Amino acid sequence: MMIRIAVCEDEEAQAEYLKTLLDRWQELARVSAAVDVYHSAEQFLFEAEAQKTYDIMLLDIQMGEMNGLDLARRVRERDKRVRIVFLTGVAEYAIEGYEVGALRYLLKPVKEPVFFEMLSSLSEEMRREEPEYFMFEANGMYNRVLLGDILYAEADGHYVVLKTEAGAGKRRWKANFSAVSEKLLEKGFFLLRRGLCVNISRLIRIGKTECELENGEILPVSKGNYQALNEAFIAYYKGRAE
């Protein structure tokens, strides 16, 4: 996993110090990171706002005309996932960061152990959140589909059809449905009836004879499967809430 990190710090010595710490952390943690350094919020907006996305942003709060908080607000307008870390010499600034979803606040001078612990914690969070893919072979070529994009899988004779919300909406290839569904059932899918399994995370309503997906589609639930589906549905959302 490559981590993309942006440092926005107007003091050149501080920026170099942070870059040195980041290089050292990569070696110790055995992590690969691409680090870009910007010396003002304006430079970041000019060079990177539309061209690059980052996993982590280290923002000095007290910069020139546009400070770190103002920059964070701009970034949040287009990127809800980036992890924002504020660097400040004034502890009182920290509370202001809640409105832009800042995850951490580091007081200057930044201490190496604290900095390394924070980076390792964030990288572990990112590793756990890495998207999961479903892989399948069709016409001699390997394909991948984001697991979360799959709504359901259905048998169609000697073929399997994946209904997705992305792209063309359907993937169809020659395969044994039992083998495909076995893999999907390990990833949070449920067998509604013979030849049809659904992604539990994409359900919004279940009933004794049918269930409804986020896109409004209604799928049949075979007799006798309602209770097990209901339990699986409750267990999934209970697990997310914990």
Side-chain angles (χ1 to χ4, degrees):
M1 178 178 68
M2 172 67 73
I3 301 175
R4 297 154 299 176
I5 301 175
V7 176
C8 200
E9 166 64 68
D10 62 351
E11 295 180 26
E12 189 169 343
Q14 281 290 326
E16 285 298 318
Y17 174 60
L18 291 171
K19 179 66 167 61
T20 299
L21 289 182
L22 286 166
D23 291 342
R24 194 177 303 161
W25 171 71
Q26 289 184 66
E27 293 180 11
L28 292 173
R30 296 183 179 180
V31 172
S32 296
V35 180
D36 293 325
V37 178
Y38 303 92
H39 296 289
S40 69
E42 291 81 3
Q43 182 190 7
F44 174 87
L45 293 174
F46 180 75
E47 295 182 7
E49 185 181 30
Q51 292 80 23
K52 295 184 179 182
T53 57
Y54 291 100
D55 300 303
I56 299 172
M57 292 188 68
L58 306 175
L59 304 181
D60 179 21
I61 289 184
Q62 296 163 284
M63 290 190 287
E65 292 185 15
M66 178 180 282
N67 62 33
L69 284 166
D70 293 332
L71 176 58
R73 292 186 186 100
R74 285 283 296 270
V75 170
R76 273 286 178 253
E77 290 175 2
R78 68 175 182 87
D79 191 340
K80 306 298 183 185
R81 296 177 61 86
V82 62
R83 291 156 170 81
I84 295 175
V85 178
F86 281 130
L87 309 173
T88 177
V90 183
E92 287 75 15
Y93 273 114
I95 196 169
E96 296 184 48
Y98 286 114
E99 67 177 277
V100 292
L103 292 179
R104 303 286 194 283
Y105 304 92
L106 294 182
L107 287 175
K108 296 180 180 180
V110 175
K111 294 180 172 58
E112 183 176 295
V114 176
F115 190 60
F116 286 4
E117 182 180 354
M118 177 210 68
L119 290 170
S120 295
S121 175
L122 292 180
S123 65
E124 177 60 22
E125 288 177 16
M126 290 166 52
R127 187 193 64 77
R128 292 197 301 266
E129 293 175 9
E130 276 192 290
E132 211 174 346
Y133 292 92
F134 175 72
M135 303 288 294
F136 64 93
E137 186 179 359
N139 300 319
M141 297 179 64
Y142 281 96
N143 299 261
R144 71 175 192 177
V145 180
L146 270 172
L147 201 64
D149 279 352
I150 302 173
L151 299 172
Y152 59 87
E154 187 172 22
D156 181 14
H158 296 294
Y159 290 80
V160 172
V161 176
L162 282 187
K163 178 63 183 294
T164 68
E165 66 176 2
K170 284 188 178 180
R171 303 289 187 95
R172 185 175 183 270
W173 75 101
K174 194 170 185 178
N176 180 281
F177 180 81
S178 294
V180 171
S181 63
E182 185 178 348
K183 294 179 182 178
L184 291 173
L185 293 177
E186 294 174 355
K187 301 294 184 180
F189 282 66
F190 186 89
L191 196 64
L192 297 175
R193 59 166 173 75
R194 187 176 180 182
L196 178 64
C197 63
V198 68
N199 188 343
I200 291 178
S201 71
R202 307 311 299 272
L203 289 175
I204 61 171
R205 181 181 63 83
I206 60 173
K208 292 186 177 180
T209 60
E210 63 183 28
C211 59
E212 183 179 355
L213 293 160
E214 291 174 344
N215 68 342
E217 282 191 71
I218 304 296
L219 298 179
V221 178
S222 69
K223 185 178 180 180
N225 273 4
Y226 166 71
Q227 184 175 344
L229 175 60
N230 188 48
E231 290 173 356
F233 184 72
I234 292 171
Y236 172 78
Y237 284 99
K238 183 179 178 182
R240 291 192 64 186
E242 290 177 350

